[in-house]
């Protein structure tokens, strides 16, 4: 595909991305945190969820996309340009168009520095303004767009904000450069339920009104279903199911996706005994990373002989759903 055509068709493209780490210091083992990961985001504004339990590779993938962690192999393309080949003005362009919101807003700001100074620096460096007056106008407009009064932000340190308020400031900071893609890594996991809803509503509004796409990284399938258009489920560095969110979570194909859904407690006391006995999801386990065949076979209730012999292939099901499982051979 020619570069110009690719720019029109895709915002982000990952091709067979791999990243290997060593787990443990002395008697550790090497494992692929990302194993031939491929995904695409089109130019149409979308919220794309990346879900899975801890150790699935979600945050590693986010860091690769953000140029924080170079992959061992594979390609990361943004608007047709290889991300890790960008230099000079092209790199500045990438950093203005691709922004990030992280899990802990307090970790994003120096506790001894006033928050407004971060916004001012971002506006002057990436906001395309000519002077401080224009920068302050841009900051005011941006803070209002996320439901904050600029006068309530000026002069304050991070400790003087609630978690929800500071996460809104962090979102405003990303918006100053007028991004096209925001990578949001567990952005609401440290907030209570009411604040989670307000932040997710901001994301939906930014997608609709400003044409911003989001890569929403989460372990919470309920918020993924609420906010997302498409979803990818990850397991031990693999993509094991992806497609439209209503299909993947409404009619799950992979046994792991089903287990994730069954791990959600239902607010029904009559079903308490049932969900207390549901599948337990594991942490980082050596045997799953180094297992021959399918990495989920040790926990899978439907595993059969072939699952221990060969890694599963990816099969395409109806309505654009992809599943990596021998059940669909």
């Amino acid at each position: 595909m020619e570069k110009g055509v690719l720019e029109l068709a895709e915002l982000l493209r990952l091709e067979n991305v791999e990243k290997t780490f060593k787990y443990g210091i002395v008697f550790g083992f090497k494992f692929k945190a990302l194993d031939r990961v491929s995904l695409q985001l089109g130019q149409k504004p979308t919220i794309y969820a990346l879900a899975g339990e801890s150790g699935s590779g979600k945050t590693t993938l986010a860091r690769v996309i953000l140029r924080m962690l170079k992959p061992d192999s594979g390609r990361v393309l943004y608007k047709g340009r290889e991300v890790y080949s960008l230099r000079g003005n092209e790199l500045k362009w990438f950093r203005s168009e691709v922004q990030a919101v992280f899990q802990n807003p307090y970790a994003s700001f120096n506790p001894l520095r006033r928050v407004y100074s971060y916004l001012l620096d971002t506006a002057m460096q990436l906001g395309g303004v000519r002077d401080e007056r224009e920068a302050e106008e841009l900051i005011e407009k941006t803070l209002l767009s996320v439901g904050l009064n600029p006068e309530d932000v000026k002069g304050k340190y991070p400790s003087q904000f609630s978690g929800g308020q500071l996460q809104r400031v962090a979102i405003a900071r990303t918006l100053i450069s007028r991004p096209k893609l925001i990578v949001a890594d567990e952005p609401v996991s440290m907030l209570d339920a009411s604040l989670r809803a307000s932040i997710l509503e901001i994301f939906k509004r930014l997608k609709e009104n400003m044409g911003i796409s989001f890569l929403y990284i989460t372990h919470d399938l309920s918020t993924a279903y609420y906010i997302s258009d498409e979803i990818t489920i990850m397991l031990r560095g693999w993509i094991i199911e992806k497609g439209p969110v209503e299909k993947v979570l409404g009619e799950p194909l992979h046994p792991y996706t089903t287990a994730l859904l069954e791990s959600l407690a239902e607010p029904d006391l009559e079903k308490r005994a049932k969900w207390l006995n549901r599948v337990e999801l594991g942490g980082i386990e050596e045997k799953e990373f180094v297992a021959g065949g399918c990495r989920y076979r040790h926990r899978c209730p439907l595993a059969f002989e072939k699952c221990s012999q060969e890694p599963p292939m990816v099969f395409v099901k109806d309505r654009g759903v992809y599943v990596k499982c021998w059940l669909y051979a």
Side-chain angles (χ1 to χ4, degrees):
M1 183 180 291
E2 293 181 4
K3 181 177 177 180
V5 177
L6 183 61
E7 287 182 346
L8 292 174
E10 294 174 335
L11 183 68
L12 179 70
R13 182 181 185 89
L14 277 69
E15 297 177 349
N16 297 320
V17 171
E18 295 195 353
K19 184 64 184 178
T20 299
F21 292 123
K22 184 177 180 181
Y23 186 64
I25 300 175
V26 180
F27 300 105
F29 68 98
K30 290 184 177 181
F31 66 96
K32 288 186 177 181
L34 299 175
D35 191 353
R36 297 181 65 81
V37 170
S38 298
L39 61 82
Q40 302 82 35
L41 271 68
Q43 286 286 352
K44 180 181 178 181
T46 187
I47 298 179
Y48 193 112
L50 199 61
E53 62 191 305
S54 297
S56 63
K58 308 185 303 295
T59 295
T60 300
L61 187 58
R63 293 174 67 192
V64 165
I65 293 169
L66 292 167
R67 275 184 53 106
M68 297 170 65
L69 185 66
K70 188 173 182 178
D72 299 324
S73 61
R75 298 204 301 164
V76 181
L77 302 170
Y78 177 74
K79 291 187 174 179
R81 297 171 175 85
E82 169 57 61
V83 166
Y84 284 87
S85 297
L86 300 177
R87 299 291 184 274
N89 288 334
E90 279 199 329
L91 181 55
K92 183 178 179 180
W93 160 81
F94 172 79
R95 287 174 172 163
S96 67
E97 291 223 346
V98 181
Q99 290 284 312
V101 177
F102 297 107
Q103 180 179 17
N104 182 0
Y106 292 98
S108 300
F109 299 93
N110 185 330
L112 302 179
R113 182 180 174 187
R114 290 182 175 87
V115 165
Y116 193 84
S117 67
Y118 283 93
L119 304 179
L120 192 58
D121 284 350
T122 303
M124 297 297 292
Q125 295 171 15
L126 299 176
V129 298
R130 291 173 293 184
D131 52 41
E132 192 169 318
R133 182 186 60 79
E134 283 191 6
E136 290 184 347
E137 290 176 356
L138 176 59
I139 293 169
E140 180 177 350
K141 180 180 178 181
T142 306
L143 287 172
L144 289 172
S145 74
V146 297
L148 291 173
N149 185 334
E151 296 304 317
D152 293 337
V153 175
K154 291 180 178 180
K156 288 186 178 180
Y157 292 93
S159 61
Q160 295 176 279
F161 295 88
S162 69
Q165 288 174 323
L166 198 59
Q167 193 65 295
R168 287 172 184 255
V169 175
I171 295 169
R173 186 184 179 189
T174 69
L175 296 178
I176 287 173
S177 66
R178 302 176 181 88
K180 294 299 181 184
L181 173 64
I182 293 178
V183 179
D185 189 1
E186 300 278 9
V188 297
S189 63
M190 295 185 66
L191 307 178
D192 63 38
S194 61
L195 292 176
R196 289 184 187 184
S198 66
I199 297 297
L200 295 178
E201 284 297 329
I202 290 174
F203 288 174
K204 292 173 72 173
R205 190 167 68 247
L206 292 173
K207 184 194 81 167
E208 297 297 331
N209 298 341
M210 298 181 66
I212 299 173
S213 289
F214 288 83
L215 186 64
Y216 175 59
I217 298 169
T218 184
H219 64 276
D220 185 349
L221 294 187
S222 59
T223 61
Y225 187 82
Y226 172 71
I227 194 177
S228 306
D229 304 301
E230 297 181 69
I231 189 170
T232 281
I233 306 294
M234 293 192 69
L235 166 74
R236 305 298 183 233
W238 280 353
I239 288 178
I240 54 91
E241 189 165 356
K242 66 180 178 180
V245 68
E246 69 276 3
K247 293 293 293 182
V248 171
L249 298 186
E251 304 171 31
L253 298 176
H254 200 285
Y256 175 66
T257 307
T258 301
L260 285 175
L261 288 165
E262 290 184 345
S263 70
L264 297 174
E266 299 178 52
D268 187 340
L269 290 179
E270 294 182 0
K271 298 180 180 180
R272 182 175 184 272
K274 180 181 178 182
W275 56 254
L276 282 178
N277 292 323
R278 285 179 174 171
V279 178
E280 291 187 6
L281 301 174
I284 295 180
E285 297 180 15
E286 177 179 350
K287 65 181 181 181
E288 292 191 336
F289 277 110
V290 300
C294 178
R295 292 176 181 171
Y296 187 58
R297 65 183 175 84
H298 297 286
R299 290 188 277 161
C300 183
L302 302 177
F304 55 100
E305 185 177 357
K306 191 169 186 178
C307 300
S308 64
Q309 297 172 346
E310 300 177 53
M313 296 173 60
V314 175
F315 301 96
V316 184
K317 306 305 290 183
D318 64 323
R319 302 188 191 180
V321 176
Y322 297 76
V323 59
K324 187 180 181 71
C325 182
W326 283 126
L327 290 174
Y328 304 95

